[in-house]
Amino acid sequence: MKRVEPTYQKPISPALTDRERAILRLVVHNFINTAGPVGSRKLARKSSLGLSAATVRNTLCDLEELGYLRHLHRSAGRMPTELGYRAFVNELMETPELSAPERRLLKGRLDRLMGDADSLFRETSRLLARMSNLLAVVLSPNISTGILERLDVVSLSESKIMIVISVKSQLVKTIIYETNMEVRRQDLDRIVSILNERLAGLSLEEIRQEYAERIRDLDDDPTGIVQLILNESAVVFGDSNEGRLSHSGTGALLSQPEFQRTSEMRQLIDLIEDEGFVVQLFEQAPGSQLDPNRWVSVGIGSEIQDESVSPYSIVTARYTIGESSGTVGLLGPIRMDYGRAISLVETMATLLNRTAITSSRQHNHPNG
């Protein structure tokens, strides 16, 4: 199946009465907890609304006509539709705060990994997966949005150099080149100094666009570094999605009732194995669809307009380190505990916002 770039569309919900809102909340809560439809008698017994089974049944019928609920056959109970989940997330759900011990656990684990980006992101995804039983995804910051602090060139051997890009978010990118150039240290230091004078303080995106103009008078460079960087500017000042993804929780997710059939398991595994698509999916997540004072977003089922993702929902939040931003999120069945997922993702994003890290991304690129 050919995948297209995911986009997100939020449906408009018809207005509900207080009774309809209360009943819809109960149905969604029950389905999230049990993965099974619920009937009017059970709802009447379980609720504290003081309503008869007949009144509940009529309200369920009204909600079904409005598109919030559905049932598989006449005698079956109701279950939420995507519209029902959307109304629940936007208007009816309470988002529980994580407990104090949970918050201390998360902060303690992440604090210990400051300075080791790879371990930090792996541990973040592992903790999120363990605490949600969903697929946890962490995308490391996109370095191309960062502001260049310093460019360095290090001679590793007679035939190998390393270009080091340091940005103000404390992220570091390294690129190793095979080269036949014989470079004197004195000449190299002079060229690197000139490049830093002209490029430091600009974003990597700006440098990629303006580099040729800024170095056009440096045609006497004896090192060949200026021309090498020009030829490789898309690599040196760009960003690759390769290596940005950390994920965990596949086993827990496959144990959910939605993934018991072989075809559904295969579809999920294929999705997870497509690293580029997962990065794109979470990177393209919409802006906040919830309270405007919060930065968590939720995409439910077909709102994520890619057929391969329609059985799932995703909860994401951006975090920022310096000038660069990354994404943390959860993917799971549409029947997920949205309140818990939102609370976990929001807490993790907040903790990552406050964490100073150093990341080294190494690219081996031969250049004869």
Side-chain angles (χ1 to χ4, degrees):
M1 181 189 304
K2 183 179 179 181
R3 286 172 173 159
V4 298
E5 182 173 326
T7 57
Y8 297 77
Q9 178 175 305
K10 178 181 170 184
I12 299 174
S13 305
L16 296 175
T17 66
D18 289 344
R19 178 183 295 171
E20 289 168 341
R21 290 165 62 90
I23 295 297
L24 178 58
R25 182 187 292 112
L26 287 172
V27 173
V28 175
H29 269 305
N30 182 85
F31 197 74
I32 287 173
N33 292 331
T34 67
V38 60
S40 55
R41 291 182 182 177
K42 184 177 181 180
L43 280 178
R45 288 198 311 270
K46 291 182 64 175
S47 76
S48 57
L49 301 177
L51 301 175
S52 67
T55 301
V56 172
R57 183 163 53 252
N58 289 336
T59 306
L60 292 174
C61 290
D62 293 339
L63 288 168
E64 186 169 356
E65 288 181 3
L66 290 170
Y68 291 97
L69 300 178
R70 65 187 180 92
H71 65 280
L72 298 179
H73 51 83
R74 184 180 298 273
S75 61
R78 265 70 170 195
M79 61 185 71
T81 61
E82 288 183 11
L83 185 64
Y85 281 116
R86 172 51 66 190
F88 176 76
V89 168
N90 283 17
E91 305 172 28
L92 309 178
M93 175 187 69
E94 294 180 357
T95 304
E97 294 290 331
L98 298 188
S99 67
E102 286 177 323
R103 293 183 67 87
R104 284 195 299 270
L105 169 68
L106 295 179
K107 186 175 186 305
R109 293 284 181 87
L110 299 193
D111 283 350
R112 285 199 294 272
L113 295 172
M114 287 176 61
D116 184 349
D118 291 339
S119 296
L120 174 69
F121 297 137
R122 282 197 302 270
E123 181 68 358
T124 298
S125 64
R126 192 185 69 81
L127 288 170
L128 266 179
R130 194 181 78 184
M131 298 174 75
S132 66
N133 288 323
L134 301 172
L135 180 74
V137 168
V138 181
L139 302 183
S140 61
N142 189 330
I143 198 171
S144 67
T145 61
I147 304 299
L148 179 68
E149 190 166 54
R150 181 167 179 80
L151 179 150
D152 287 295
V153 180
V154 180
S155 179
L156 300 178
S157 69
E158 291 184 358
S159 62
K160 190 176 294 185
I161 63 167
M162 179 170 66
I163 297 175
V164 182
I165 302 294
S166 303
V167 300
K168 288 187 176 180
S169 56
Q170 294 184 301
L171 293 170
V172 176
K173 175 181 180 179
T174 63
I175 312 100
I176 296 175
Y177 288 95
E178 297 282 349
T179 177
N180 296 324
M181 297 180 296
E182 293 184 6
V183 180
R184 291 195 310 164
R185 186 72 251 177
Q186 183 179 355
D187 293 333
L188 186 59
D189 289 345
R190 181 178 67 86
I191 289 298
V192 168
S193 177
I194 293 172
L195 290 176
N196 277 302
E197 287 176 6
R198 300 185 182 190
L199 304 178
L202 301 174
S203 75
L204 299 195
E205 290 178 350
E206 290 174 316
I207 296 172
R208 191 166 66 249
Q209 295 169 6
E210 301 175 12
Y211 180 80
E213 177 64 23
R214 289 178 178 269
I215 56 88
R216 63 189 176 91
D217 61 327
L218 297 178
D219 52 6
D220 62 341
D221 168 28
T223 69
I225 294 297
V226 171
Q227 185 63 43
L228 170 63
I229 293 177
L230 177 62
N231 295 341
E232 297 292 326
S233 59
V235 175
V236 175
F237 303 116
D239 200 4
S240 168
N241 284 331
E242 183 180 351
R244 293 186 60 207
L245 173 66
S246 298
H247 66 79
S248 185
T250 305
L253 189 56
L254 288 172
S255 69
Q256 301 272 8
E258 287 82 354
F259 306 110
Q260 296 308 298
R261 291 193 299 184
T262 303
S263 59
E264 290 151 349
M265 294 174 65
R266 185 70 257 169
Q267 182 181 12
L268 178 61
I269 291 170
D270 288 344
L271 169 68
I272 295 169
E273 288 180 346
D274 190 343
E275 180 173 329
F277 181 75
V278 173
V279 171
Q280 184 183 57
L281 178 67
F282 280 78
E283 193 98 88
Q284 299 298 322
S288 176
Q289 296 185 347
L290 306 175
D291 185 324
N293 295 319
R294 310 177 80 164
W295 63 89
V296 179
S297 71
V298 178
I300 300 174
S302 62
E303 292 175 11
I304 313 165
Q305 294 181 320
D306 184 285
E307 184 180 346
S308 64
V309 195
S310 60
Y312 316 111
S313 289
I314 66 170
V315 178
T316 61
R318 297 291 175 87
Y319 66 90
T320 303
I321 298 173
E323 303 293 331
S324 302
S325 64
T327 303
V328 58
L330 292 167
L331 178 146
I334 296 176
R335 180 199 57 84
M336 70 160 64
D337 185 343
Y338 289 96
R340 174 74 170 171
I342 290 168
S343 184
L344 283 167
V345 167
E346 187 172 44
T347 299
M348 279 301 198
T350 300
L351 291 173
L352 289 173
N353 277 336
R354 299 172 182 174
T355 304
I357 65 169
T358 300
S359 176
S360 178
R361 300 194 196 157
Q362 182 165 301
H363 301 257
N364 289 286
H365 191 99
N367 189 75

